[in-house]
Amino acid sequence: MSYTTSTPHAAPLARLVGSSALRRATVVLLGSWLIAASAWIEVPMYPVPMTMQTYAVLLVGALCGWRLASETLVAYLAQGLAGLPLFAGGNAGILYAMGPTGGYLVGFLLAAAFVGWLADQGWNRHYGKLAVSLLVGHLIVFVPGVAWLAHLIGFEKAIAAGFVPFILGTVLKSALAYASVVALDRRR
């Protein structure tokens, strides 16, 4: 099965990987570890910590394209669910994923796939579109994250604890992801 993309706008790592299974596996593994490493950069907050994971998730999406980004996030989630300490604060396992951060983990996958899909459509090549894709990708993380948290603690508390404190961080991490993609994707 060939994984090459037919679009000339494919995300840079998707173009680099081409149809090589070894390159693909390497990018997926390194990408999942990048997200894991970003989970260790943490501002302790309750009930959901602030980490650099969303930055890494957006970066993976924009640089990998939807298919490779989705595979990377599935690998990250599978490793964490299997017990490797890859989630925020070195946590792991199914019980952790069913706790307050579980919806955000689902949001990571959705956001990376969405930002990756837009990258494959050429959105990385336009400054305004890239900024929009990263901000929307960040917001996509919050939809299942806040929804799951609301299921656990109620809607108003979920908004107050799982969204509002993260607004400034969202803007800053989106800007950092934007600068990183512009610096790493030189085909503009």
Side-chain angles (χ1 to χ4, degrees):
M1 174 190 293
S2 175
Y3 288 105
T4 58
T5 180
S6 60
T7 174
H9 304 295
L13 289 177
R15 287 191 326 267
L16 174 71
V17 164
S19 61
S20 169
L22 179 60
R23 285 188 205 153
R24 184 168 216 80
T26 301
V27 168
V28 166
L29 190 60
L30 291 176
S32 70
W33 291 349
L34 170 69
I35 297 166
S38 69
W40 287 83
I41 304 169
E42 178 181 14
V43 176
M45 296 171 61
Y46 180 82
V48 179
M50 183 181 303
T51 69
M52 287 300 290
Q53 286 172 289
T54 51
Y55 161 75
V57 164
L58 296 176
L59 196 62
V60 164
L63 296 177
C64 291
W66 81 268
R67 180 176 284 152
L68 190 56
S70 297
E71 292 169 358
T72 300
L73 267 293
V74 167
Y76 166 73
L77 294 171
Q79 291 171 78
L81 291 171
L84 295 177
L86 304 186
F87 298 147
N91 288 293
I94 293 172
L95 289 178
Y96 178 80
M98 293 176 64
T101 62
Y104 297 93
L105 294 172
V106 171
F108 291 169
L109 174 60
L110 299 175
F114 178 77
V115 170
W117 181 78
L118 291 177
D120 286 339
Q121 305 308 308
W123 281 50
N124 285 9
R125 300 182 75 188
H126 305 279
Y127 294 120
K129 287 183 175 182
L130 174 60
V132 168
S133 76
L134 296 171
L135 284 170
V136 171
H138 236 122
L139 292 175
I140 288 172
V141 171
F142 286 110
V143 173
V146 171
W148 179 250
L149 192 57
H151 170 73
L152 298 175
I153 66 172
F155 183 73
E156 288 180 14
K157 288 181 181 176
I159 292 294
F163 178 69
V164 173
F166 298 95
I167 293 172
L168 179 59
T170 293
V171 172
L172 294 174
K173 288 186 279 182
S174 294
L176 181 59
Y178 177 89
S180 299
V181 171
V182 169
L184 294 170
D185 187 2
R186 297 284 184 197
R187 65 192 161 120
R188 292 186 178 278

